[in-house]
Amino acid sequence: MKIISLNINNKQYSVKVSNQIINEIDHFIAFDNVVIITQKNIFKLYEKYFNKTKKIIFIDETEKAKSIDVYKSVIKKIIKYNCNRKSTIIALGGGVVGDLAGFVASTYMRGINYIQIPTTLLSMVDSSIGGKTGINLEEGKNLIGSFYQPKLVLIDPNFIKTLNQEEIISGLGEVIKYGILSNIDFLKHINSILFDIIKNRDLLLLEKIIIDCVKIKIDIVERDEKEQNLRQILNFGHSIGHAIENQLGYNSIKHGISVCYGIISALILSKQKYNFPQSEYDLILNCMKKLDLSILREINIKSILEILKKDKKNNNNYNFVLLKKIGFPTTNNELNEAQIIESIKKNEYISN
Ligand SMILES: NC(=O)c1ccc[n+]([C@@H]2O[C@H](COP(=O)([O-])OP(=O)(O)OC[C@H]3O[C@@H](n4cnc5c(N)ncnc54)[C@H](O)[C@@H]3O)[C@@H](O)[C@H]2O)c1
Ligand SMILES: [Zn+2]
């Protein structure tokens, strides 16, 4: 069992990573005053481990669950279950469950405890860590939300066994992002194990890589919880990535996969602005090749630009995270329309 402690604003909690957690879940959680927020498909697979409570709330199995309507209906169910200030919410699921359940926890009775049990690779390495919670509006993703840290995060790589391949690839997109942001040796290591993870879902390799990614994210979030400066680097690849996700529809492309396309365009921009080394670019493309991404054919550059303009992280300019080289990200790079168009046209995974 690896226990990683976080200290955010003098509040401490831990992230526990082990492939023995679900088997011994009673050791980690007292089930007397809890309510589980999850999705039916996940619960069907893991019900036997969570039979100590009858207070279970199911939400939609897609991004649609991150909506005001679902938020309201969850709050009503929590009230029906007589939850009080001492209750704990357990978010059992991927990023969708975690973001919604975290937001519910942060607002119900002005904030109650919650525990994250992430069940997708993406939520293990990324969304369960750092306390960003949120729901979407028609006008945009995550427009309503809060920074609200859980009391505990329990990560058991065993959940990955039942994920479909697309979800694994999506999580690996964020794993590659951590490699690019931290250092070249780590990225080379990721590149060397990608095949085993994709084909064999090697649990020991997964456990180690999850621990490495969690440590990187914690290190950043501890220094900048509210994304005033340093935390912005985690948005590397996300400007164009989000725009692609938004244009194609959140249920048509997975978050981490669209980030991969965004990473390639951000690297092309980094080559233009900072002379990002070709050899490092080739290493990253080599990682991407192992993910077997398909070529996007439905991208409309005009609508990508429109979406980028509206993106809350972009104010009025096109504001990007770029890289001088692997491990050396820079924030607040202002770019013009022509540069962005070129970065999409030169992206070998986007055809238009
Ligand atoms: N809060 C943050 O910091 C943060 C960071 C990144 C992404 N996000 C958010 O996370 C969301 C995406 O999360 P995601 O990629 O985990 O997808 P997801 O939560 O939509 O899960 C993907 C699908 O896999 C299913 N599933 C989950 N675990 C399973 C398991 N163990 N076995 C079988 N099926 C399983 C889910 O029911 C769902 O249908 C987006 O809404 C994104 O905005 C948040
Ligand atoms: Zn992301």
Side-chain angles (χ1 to χ4, degrees):
M1 160 93 51
K2 178 79 188 172
I3 302 178
I4 312 160
S5 298
L6 268 97
N7 188 332
I8 295 184
N9 287 333
N10 295 325
K11 280 191 192 142
Q12 283 207 338
Y13 66 95
S14 52
V15 178
K16 298 184 178 170
V17 188
S18 155
N19 52 28
Q20 281 306 318
I21 287 178
I22 22 172
N23 264 323
E24 298 170 6
I25 195 74
D26 299 358
H27 293 313
F28 299 93
I29 300 173
F31 278 97
D32 53 339
N33 191 1
V34 301
V35 52
I36 298 178
I37 300 181
T38 187
Q39 292 161 325
K40 272 194 183 136
N41 55 337
I42 300 173
F43 202 68
K44 254 192 215 156
L45 295 166
Y46 298 99
E47 187 168 6
K48 67 172 179 183
Y49 302 103
F50 296 93
N51 54 13
K52 289 258 165 72
T53 177
K54 295 271 172 288
K55 295 183 183 175
I56 302 173
I57 298 173
F58 294 112
I59 59 169
D60 201 289
E61 284 157 26
T62 67
E63 183 77 24
K64 278 191 204 139
K66 283 175 59 175
S67 70
I68 294 239
D69 289 346
V70 174
Y71 167 77
K72 193 171 157 194
S73 78
V74 170
I75 294 277
K76 282 181 179 278
K77 284 177 192 150
I78 285 183
I79 295 168
K80 262 200 184 143
Y81 281 145
N82 293 320
C83 287
N84 52 33
R85 287 219 166 97
K86 296 219 163 101
S87 303
T88 296
I89 287 176
I90 296 176
L92 176 68
V96 163
V97 170
D99 281 10
L100 174 84
F103 186 60
V104 168
S106 79
T107 47
Y108 182 64
M109 294 189 155
R110 299 198 175 87
I112 63 171
N113 289 341
Y114 78 115
I115 295 173
Q116 290 268 22
I117 307 183
T119 61
T120 61
L121 179 57
L122 182 133
S123 57
M124 293 179 192
V125 297
D126 190 359
S127 62
S128 68
I129 312 292
K132 267 195 193 177
T133 81
I135 55 176
N136 307 327
L137 287 179
E138 272 159 32
E139 288 81 356
K141 211 167 131 79
N142 299 323
L143 281 181
I144 300 179
S146 58
F147 290 96
Y148 191 67
Q149 302 297 333
K151 273 282 163 275
L152 175 68
V153 182
L154 296 173
I155 301 181
D156 189 331
N158 276 300
F159 284 110
I160 286 169
K161 285 185 195 154
T162 55
L163 274 185
N164 70 33
Q165 203 66 352
E166 213 187 8
E167 304 297 343
I168 304 270
I169 303 292
S170 175
L172 289 173
E174 298 282 0
V175 169
I176 292 170
K177 181 194 78 179
Y178 285 119
I180 298 172
L181 291 175
S182 58
N183 69 73
I184 193 158
D185 291 337
F186 182 47
L187 187 66
K188 283 182 179 163
H189 169 65
I190 292 171
N191 191 25
S192 73
I193 61 169
L194 277 176
F195 186 82
D196 258 342
I197 291 185
I198 294 169
K199 293 284 179 267
N200 308 324
R201 305 199 180 186
D202 183 317
L203 280 192
L204 280 180
L205 281 179
L206 271 164
E207 189 177 331
K208 283 200 190 111
I209 207 79
I210 290 165
I211 292 168
D212 289 335
C213 293
V214 165
K215 281 184 179 161
I216 294 171
K217 181 149 186 190
I218 287 177
D219 182 46
I220 294 169
V221 172
E222 277 185 336
R223 290 190 273 159
D224 177 25
E225 182 197 10
K226 302 219 164 132
E227 204 173 304
Q228 303 296 306
N229 40 63
L230 181 69
R231 190 167 177 172
Q232 290 170 19
I233 66 171
L234 294 171
N235 295 327
F236 177 65
H238 281 59
S239 300
I240 289 179
H242 273 153
I244 290 173
E245 229 180 332
N246 188 320
Q247 197 213 305
L248 298 182
Y250 293 105
N251 295 322
S252 316
I253 184 161
K254 292 302 306 171
H255 174 78
I257 295 180
S258 47
V259 166
C260 290
Y261 298 106
I263 286 177
I264 297 168
S265 282
L267 289 171
I268 293 167
L269 290 162
S270 302
K271 282 209 277 186
Q272 286 167 355
K273 185 151 185 203
Y274 294 111
N275 226 356
F276 183 83
Q278 183 65 37
S279 59
E280 297 190 355
Y281 180 80
D282 292 341
L283 169 65
I284 297 167
L285 271 199
N286 199 281
C287 294
M288 297 298 178
K289 281 206 180 92
K290 294 196 173 131
L291 302 189
D292 208 13
L293 302 175
S294 53
I295 305 228
L296 290 183
R297 300 190 188 279
E298 317 84 354
I299 294 302
N300 177 330
I301 295 186
K302 221 173 136 194
S303 85
I304 294 284
L305 290 171
E306 284 303 310
I307 297 163
L308 279 175
K309 266 184 208 156
K310 278 196 220 146
D311 191 329
K312 65 180 166 34
K313 292 189 183 87
N314 281 286
N315 302 324
N316 283 326
N317 306 305
Y318 298 104
N319 193 343
F320 275 61
V321 179
L322 298 180
L323 285 173
K324 294 186 172 163
K325 53 185 189 159
I326 287 174
F328 293 86
T330 69
T331 54
N332 297 319
N333 292 285
E334 294 197 2
L335 301 168
N336 63 37
E337 222 166 81
Q339 289 170 306
I340 292 165
I341 293 172
E342 198 187 337
S343 81
I344 297 172
K345 286 194 168 158
K346 281 192 174 162
N347 188 322
E348 56 191 270
Y349 282 96
I350 301 178
S351 138
N352 39 56

